[in-house]
């Protein structure tokens, strides 16, 4: 079975110098292109699996036949041994052995030399050899089919793994580029709040539900991590953090205080100048936003 032509993998892993020269949008475009290439490879893989179903059925049929063929082959060898023993009794053992010891593929050509054997013996020898040859043929066919199927799928799987590795590398470069761009846009934090300084360091990190660092956060995981950097322990839950903080007014807000939103379903870190740092949702990253980005429930200070 010949394998169909496989899709080439064209992208190369970016060097650090190339990555640093690219914007996050450019890297994202490469990620999207690689995902498109990956989809083609996966569909090619699916197509090959469909094509190999017939081969797999044949493999299963041969495997099911092998026990009977092996048993028949053993019986055939026993019959041949019995014929050789009988011939030996007649003084022709060397001649029989010379015929039987050769390559089975040209046995029929050599069988004519046993002219002193009966027609029944010749027929029995031919039948026995046929049984043995069928077993070997089916075994060879099975091995070829299995090797072909394995090679086809292994080559496509290798392509898939190569593209996925490239995507992982690009996504790491993307995260670095986003964080660098965000820090360039908003500058370095120059205040003395350890809480805010920690939050600044996470700008551009991914939002992941239930995450609490070091490179992925949800909203309460980020506030927990930021206050943990200042030596204050908070629970990883917005409502619990509400209960663990003292109520303050908006006029009393200082950098590091917490701002609670949407029925205590979201929390952010106040950084001053009417702005917060928060992990909004899975569609974006840790970022700076206006304090009134959504409906406010209140303010808290650990």
């Amino acid at each position: 079975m010949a394998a169909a032509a496989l899709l080439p993998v064209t992208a190369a892993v970016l060097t650090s110098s190339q990555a640093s020269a690219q914007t996050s949008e450019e890297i994202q475009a490469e990620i999207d292109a690689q995902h498109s290439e990956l989809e083609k490879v996966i569909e090619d893989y699916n197509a090959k699996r469909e094509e190999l179903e017939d081969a797999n059925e044949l493999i299963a049929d041969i495997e099911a036949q092998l026990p009977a063929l092996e048993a028949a082959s053993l019986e055939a060898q026993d019959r041949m041994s019995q014929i050789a023993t009988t011939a030996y009794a007649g003084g022709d053992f060397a001649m029989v052995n010379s015929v039987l010891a050769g390559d089975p593929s040209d046995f029929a050509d050599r069988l004519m030399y046993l002219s002193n054997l009966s027609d029944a013996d010749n027929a029995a020898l031919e039948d026995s050899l046929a049984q043995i040859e069928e077993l070997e043929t089916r075994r060879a066919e099975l091995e070829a089919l299995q090797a072909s199927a394995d090679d086809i799928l292994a080559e496509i799987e290798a392509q898939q793994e190569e593209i996925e590795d490239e995507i992982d590398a690009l996504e790491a470069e993307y995260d670095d580029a986003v964080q660098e761009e965000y820090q360039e846009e908003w500058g370095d934090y120059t205040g003395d709040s350890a809480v805010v300084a920690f939050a600044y360091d996470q700008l551009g990190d991914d939002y992941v539900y239930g995450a609490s660092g070091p490179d992925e956060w949800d909203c309460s995981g980020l506030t927990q991590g930021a206050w943990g950097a200042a030596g204050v322990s908070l629970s990883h839950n917005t409502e619990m953090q509400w209960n663990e903080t003292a109520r303050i007014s908006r006029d009393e807000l200082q950098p590091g205080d917490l701002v609670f939103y949407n029925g205590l379903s979201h929390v952010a870190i106040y950084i001053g100048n009417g702005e917060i740092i928060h992990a909004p949702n899975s569609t974006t990253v840790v970022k700076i936003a206006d304090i009134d980005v959504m409906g406010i429930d209140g303010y808290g200070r650990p």
Side-chain angles (χ1 to χ4, degrees):
M1 181 184 299
L6 301 178
L7 294 171
V9 178
T10 57
V13 176
L14 294 173
T15 64
S16 58
S17 60
Q18 288 174 317
S20 62
Q22 289 186 300
T23 66
S24 60
E25 289 185 357
E26 291 169 337
I27 296 173
Q28 184 62 57
E30 290 198 27
I31 292 173
D32 292 342
Q34 286 299 306
H35 274 294
S36 296
E37 199 70 19
L38 179 60
E39 287 179 352
K40 294 176 185 178
V41 171
I42 291 173
E43 286 307 307
D44 195 33
Y45 180 85
N46 292 338
K48 295 301 181 295
R49 286 179 63 89
E50 292 290 333
E51 292 171 11
L52 290 171
E53 280 192 4
D54 290 342
N56 289 333
E57 290 178 5
L58 184 54
I59 287 171
D61 288 344
I62 294 174
E63 288 176 336
Q65 294 169 14
L66 284 182
L69 290 173
E70 287 169 349
S73 176
L74 289 173
E75 290 179 4
Q77 292 178 48
D78 287 342
R79 287 197 302 272
M80 292 173 69
S81 178
Q82 290 170 6
I83 292 172
T85 300
T86 301
Y88 174 70
D92 297 317
F93 181 69
M95 180 183 293
V96 173
N97 268 356
S98 68
V99 173
L100 299 182
D103 185 348
S105 64
D106 61 2
F107 176 80
D109 294 333
R110 289 180 282 109
L111 194 62
M112 59 183 291
Y113 292 111
L114 299 182
S115 56
N116 62 318
L117 294 180
S118 68
D119 290 342
D121 286 341
N122 280 327
L125 283 170
E126 287 179 329
D127 180 65
S128 298
L129 185 64
Q131 295 283 354
I132 295 171
E133 286 181 338
E134 182 178 4
L135 172 63
E136 296 307 317
T137 298
R138 298 303 268 175
R139 277 179 174 163
E141 185 178 1
L142 175 63
E143 291 173 0
L145 284 168
Q146 288 175 327
S148 177
D150 292 344
D151 288 347
I152 290 171
L153 296 184
E155 188 168 355
I156 300 177
E157 287 170 352
Q159 287 195 12
Q160 180 177 342
E161 182 177 351
E162 185 175 348
I163 294 177
E164 288 174 342
D165 287 345
E166 170 63 10
I167 290 173
D168 288 343
L170 286 169
E171 287 178 342
E173 300 292 353
Y174 174 84
D175 291 342
D176 291 343
V178 168
Q179 191 165 42
E180 182 177 343
E181 289 164 4
Y182 274 37
Q183 289 174 338
E184 286 177 357
E185 178 182 352
W186 289 308
D188 295 327
Y189 178 65
T190 58
D192 57 4
S193 170
V195 176
V196 177
F198 180 93
Y200 258 81
D201 286 341
Q202 316 316 312
L203 288 173
D205 282 356
D206 289 334
Y207 175 100
V208 175
Y209 178 76
S212 56
D215 301 311
E216 299 172 337
W217 310 89
D218 65 7
C219 66
S220 59
L222 178 63
T223 52
Q224 179 192 50
W227 271 98
V232 177
S233 177
L234 292 177
S235 300
H236 188 176
N237 176 268
T238 303
E239 289 191 27
M240 290 181 181
Q241 289 182 10
W242 173 268
N243 294 327
E244 291 165 350
T245 56
R247 302 283 69 76
I248 57 174
S249 68
R250 183 162 180 150
D251 292 339
E252 295 174 307
L253 279 173
Q254 295 179 7
D257 288 337
L258 302 184
V259 184
F260 296 87
Y261 298 89
N262 285 352
L264 301 183
S265 65
H266 188 68
V267 62
I269 300 163
Y270 182 69
I271 62 172
N273 299 319
E275 292 181 320
I276 58 168
I277 289 178
H278 68 150
N281 54 61
S282 59
T283 66
T284 185
V285 295
V286 175
K287 61 172 59 178
I288 292 176
D290 185 87
I291 190 173
D292 293 309
V293 66
M294 61 186 80
I296 296 174
D297 297 320
Y299 314 92
R301 181 174 297 160

